[in-house]
Amino acid sequence: MSEIIESNILKALSTVMEPDLKKDLVSLNMVRNIKITDKHVTFTLVLTTPACPLKDKMEQDCKDAIHSLVDASLDVTVEMTANVTTNRLDKLTLPGVKNIIAVASGKGGVGKSTVSSNLAVALAQRGAKVGLLDADIHGPSVPMMFGVLDQQPLMRNVDGRELMVPIEKFGIKLLSIGFLIKPEQAVVWRGPMVSSALRQFINDTDWGELDYLVLDLPPGTGDIHLTMIQIVPLTGVVMVTTPQAVALADAFKAATMFQMMPTKVPLLGVVENMAWFTPEELPENRYPIFGEGGGKKMAEELHVPFLGELPLFMQIRKGGDTGIPAVLDSENRSRKYLMDIAERVAQQVAIINAQKAALANA
Ligand SMILES: Nc1ncnc2c1ncn2[C@@H]1O[C@H](COP(=O)(O)OP(=O)(O)O)[C@@H](O)[C@H]1O
Ligand SMILES: [Mg+2]
């Protein structure tokens, strides 16, 4: 009896589509562990990322399908878990890392480190294993944003190799060029020294198993970008811009650099930071201090997704200065915006991985 019902459940679930991957949940092998007792059905849905923004929709679609195609009186429980996908074939560099997400911008001061830090924390809060590498030689800010200014990474012997051990904070593995040099020294570091430090971060560091490694790049289109693109197999790039024209022009230049590289790096999309300001005491008012709609327009012109807007919030600045990323505070008005951006980034990574897998199998 239960055999028949299980196959009925599977049949019903095979009518439910994964909205991004445009295939049904059963063909995608996302349905596992169906258990039926009396009037109760439980199964596990294995998502492509724990930060999936469509979780609730998929859960509802599954329940609706079972109720309409099997039995309307069944009590259905969908348990969610995730197995983060990857499209990496070569495992020579960063062998345990499934996805590497670079955060880039044309100009400095547009919120790249703010977005990188909160993206990393948000993904970890959703249950992913996350690392954050701050490669911004001109203004490393991860040590400050995570309150680990005085820490120094240790070395550890792993299978006969001396590897650097990232600093851990809020469940995230951190490395920053700022751990190795004092801010006032940064300017005198020559290109080759920077490159060799970055190579050590990539090749001689014990990152372990990570679902996502977030890379906070310096602004612009300089040497460090070329080094990073050459040595790191990037999954994709998130562009951060403010809505104003000057920042956009620079962001465009940076975006085209990634697209013109021989190893074309996909753009995951555009985040518009400092989109507007809303004073706490006037929550209905929005002041577009740096202009309006620039990020969306840029995403349209580049034919890439718009990953969301982030308003100016005092708490975001404070979080950055006090070493506690704003997304950690559930009372914080900015949290929802930061979480939404992180979920859209994770969603785009899953889509790119599925597209690459489809190409490889074609
Ligand atoms: N949405 C925001 N609301 C408030 N402050 C912000 C916001 N985004 C960035 N900031 C602040 O602006 C400054 C520059 O941001 P940062 O992330 O360091 O820029 P970048 O890394 O691009 O140079 C920091 O002090 C940061 O806290
Ligand atoms: Mg920065």
Side-chain angles (χ1 to χ4, degrees):
M1 163 97 175
S2 104
E3 284 288 309
I4 299 163
I5 295 180
E6 173 162 337
S7 68
N8 289 349
I9 300 289
L10 269 178
K11 207 165 159 193
L13 292 176
S14 69
T15 67
V16 179
M17 298 300 270
E18 210 287 3
D20 286 329
L21 309 183
K22 315 263 190 290
K23 276 192 190 157
D24 74 89
L25 302 182
V26 177
S27 320
L28 287 166
N29 197 20
M30 289 171 69
V31 178
R32 311 274 171 89
N33 209 11
I34 301 178
K35 289 198 189 108
I36 304 155
T37 44
D38 222 6
K39 282 279 170 195
H40 194 108
V41 178
T42 307
F43 63 91
T44 306
L45 198 59
V46 185
L47 303 169
T48 52
T49 170
C52 175
L54 302 166
K55 256 184 199 173
D56 294 346
K57 175 179 165 34
M58 277 195 267
E59 177 174 351
Q60 196 53 51
D61 289 353
C62 288
K63 288 183 174 171
D64 292 348
I66 292 172
H67 287 150
S68 66
L69 299 171
V70 184
D71 181 344
S73 69
L74 285 175
D75 174 28
V76 181
T77 307
V78 186
E79 283 166 3
M80 302 268 184
T81 163
N83 183 9
V84 175
T85 50
T86 178
N87 65 48
R88 297 200 47 208
L89 301 172
D90 134 59
K91 290 291 179 100
L92 290 173
T93 39
L94 298 166
V97 180
K98 287 183 172 176
N99 298 290
I100 303 148
I101 304 167
V103 178
S105 72
K107 265 176 31 121
V110 298
K112 204 161 25 61
S113 301
T114 302
V115 169
S116 308
S117 301
N118 284 288
L119 169 63
V121 174
L123 293 172
Q125 286 220 311
R126 286 281 184 261
K129 292 195 278 283
V130 184
L132 173 59
L133 170 51
D134 171 10
D136 191 348
I137 177 75
H138 307 294
S141 31
V142 161
M144 169 108 135
M145 289 185 168
F146 281 79
V148 288
L149 275 171
D150 51 350
Q151 298 207 30
Q152 291 251 303
L154 302 172
M155 301 299 285
R156 178 192 289 160
N157 192 295
V158 181
D159 302 328
R161 290 175 64 211
E162 280 298 309
L163 298 183
M164 200 179 275
V165 186
I167 304 281
E168 291 211 34
K169 189 78 189 267
F170 307 128
I172 294 169
K173 293 186 177 167
L174 302 170
L175 266 190
S176 168
I177 207 114
F179 291 144
L180 306 187
I181 44 170
K182 295 199 179 68
E184 61 273 18
Q185 288 179 327
V187 279
V188 301
W189 267 42
R190 286 173 294 108
M193 289 164 77
V194 176
S195 290
S196 98
L198 291 177
R199 276 175 208 278
Q200 188 177 14
F201 286 165
I202 302 294
N203 296 323
D204 306 321
T205 294
D206 188 12
W207 287 105
E209 303 279 319
L210 295 179
D211 294 317
Y212 305 100
L213 176 61
V214 178
L215 219 59
D216 183 2
L217 290 177
T221 52
D223 284 356
I224 298 173
H225 300 85
L226 297 178
T227 304
M228 291 314 252
I229 297 169
Q230 280 159 11
I231 64 176
V232 186
L234 295 175
T235 308
V237 180
V238 172
M239 290 300 306
V240 181
T241 183
T242 58
Q244 81 218 90
V246 241
L248 279 169
D250 291 335
F252 255 110
K253 253 186 250 160
T256 28
M257 169 189 72
F258 288 104
Q259 293 191 313
M260 277 163 39
M261 296 309 288
T263 51
K264 205 165 184 286
V265 185
L267 290 182
L268 297 169
V270 179
V271 172
E272 183 181 287
N273 189 22
M274 312 193 183
W276 66 81
F277 173 69
T278 298
E280 210 137 352
E281 60 284 7
L282 291 169
E284 300 304 314
N285 291 23
R286 283 185 179 192
Y287 301 95
I289 297 177
F290 295 113
E292 266 177 303
K296 259 192 199 131
K297 197 163 152 253
M298 177 176 167
E300 270 164 30
E301 286 178 25
L302 288 167
H303 304 291
V304 299
F306 182 62
L307 300 168
E309 47 208 356
L310 183 59
L312 277 161
F313 285 116
M314 193 109 87
Q315 300 101 315
I316 292 185
R317 202 269 309 145
K318 270 193 201 147
D321 288 351
T322 54
I324 303 170
V327 74
L328 280 169
D329 177 2
S330 56
E331 300 291 299
N332 197 317
R333 283 190 300 159
S334 64
R335 185 170 192 271
K336 167 136 185 38
Y337 294 94
L338 292 163
M339 260 314 169
D340 284 350
I341 290 169
E343 290 187 345
R344 290 195 201 111
V345 170
Q347 179 180 30
Q348 289 311 314
V349 168
I351 292 173
I352 283 182
N353 288 344
Q355 286 168 346
K356 293 222 169 151
L359 276 179
N361 291 332

